Amino acid sequence: MSAPLLVVSNRLPVVIEQHDGQWCSRPGSGGLVTALTPVLRQRGGLWVGWPGASEQDGLDLDGMLSDAGAAAGFDFAAVKLSDDERDKFYYGFSNEIVWPLFHGLHTRCNFDPSFWEAYRAVNCKFARTIKENVRADDFIWVHDYHLMHVAKELREVGLRQKIGFFLHIPFPPSEIFLNMPWRFDVLQALLEFDVLGFQTQGYRRNFTQCISSVIPGISVRGRGRVVTTKTPRRKVRMGVFPISIDFDEFADQAASPETTARAHEVREEFANRKLMLGVDRLDYTKGIPERVKAFGDALDRYPELREKITLVQVVVPSRTAIHEYQDLKAEIEKLVSEVNGRHTVSGWVPIHYVFRSLDRTNLTALYRTADIMSVTPLRDGMNLVAKEYCACRMESDGVLILSEFAGTAATMHRGALLVNPHDRVGMADAVYYAVMMGKEEQRTRMRVLRQGVRRFDVFWWLDMFLQASSGDDVELAAPPEEYDLLAILPPESIARPVPARVPDPAS
Ligand code: ADQ
């Protein structure tokens, strides 16, 4: 537990940008930053990553990073990338190959061979920066799909230290993964880590099935927890660690005077109406078009909902340099205006669409005010927004509509209304059910959800990963009981659309 941490991720938790010709920095956003910042601040340590800007006239990158590190409460070491490296490694291999493939969307992949070359070269650059900065007792903890090759590069430069890896996104079923032209190299590289962490048991199962079918001489023991490779003979341990949030920080912020005042204003704005909220990064995996369509369907199917509910859909700009993301933005805006065009009447606009990042006060004020939170990704490693919403529900009310395909469903299935985001009828029914749900049922469900998020918070996640990395048992405390789609549904209901299922939170 006491080893200092050397955290490695693609992006440093800071954004360097230019405003009116002046360079400035601000803290980064996104799931990984949200999860790790409080942990590093508490323990101290070093974060290695790409600062997001290249060297250029007028920019004192090192000076800015040193100031940003002082403000964050821990040190930064920058891996500097050229524009070509950024394009091929980040936009190319990471976001046009691994991201869609691991989310089960292999037809969206662009398997350009030059992306693979850049991926290996940049992972090698990360390894060099780690080698220059690592201290003898550091535990090296590498994060996410951009850096699957780092341990292999570190081993090649002679580093024998223990290295852990946590995959924040899903690991796909083998028939999807095996589409990747460099499948052997990626699997072999992952097996150079000492500990591999996954968000759910399902993702770990997919990984073990993959290596068992592709790599000769592999043995998997301990119910999928230990892999032994043949040449060279080494042991890799694999655990399940569902990532979470700093529950107390969100709960305190939600209760703060500034959030309370802002929540009051938002409530006044939507007086006498139910507020349904969506908060997502701009991404095709988040199911935003599907949600907007289903919301329009709910208004068509249930006329009694009209003028009684407003959807506030917040989208945070992300990867906007990629064409597909620009197309997605245009698609969402078209769908929003279609639904609004169909249903708006004097004094009521059904969907309020916000395309920008929100600060904590505004975000938590929305969580506090929203009667219904809709988290309906087509596939998501975990999804922290669902947990943030529950942490902010101080009165233990509110309804969480949750996709079966979010990693979060594995542990939050009891209190949430589970939906299949492709099932427009089921999604519309879930909106109706959520609007009609009485306070008593809301409280029963929300208490279950809040207890889970409070107990299994980000510090639990961190402790479990670090303890598992330093000991022999890779799962010291079993993660909460998992939802398994195939185990819960009777086989006959899998083949046809099912209505929004409403599991009894007490069972
Ligand atoms: P992300 O895909 O970024 O993370 P998510 O887990 O939902 O997804 O985290 C998003 C974070 O961004 C949340 O903390 C949220 O508060 C913040 N955010 C979203 N919209 C915002 C807005 N408009 N303004 C301000 N903040 C906003 C990846 C994986 C996930 C996994 C996390 C952590 O894709 O599946 O849960 O890593 O492992």
Side-chain angles (χ1 to χ4, degrees), residues 38 254 264 313 414:
H264 190 69
Q313 177 61 57
R414 286 209 189 286

Side-chain angles (χ1 to χ4, degrees), residues 12 15 17 24 83 90 150 158 215 289 299 304 347 350 353 359 362 411 458 488 493 496-497:
L12 281 172
V15 179
E17 57 195 1
C24 51
D83 290 350
Y90 177 68
V150 160
I215 299 185
L299 298 176
E304 60 270 45
Y353 170 67
D359 62 24
N362 278 295
T411 51
V458 70
I488 286 182
S493 62
R496 59 186 160 75

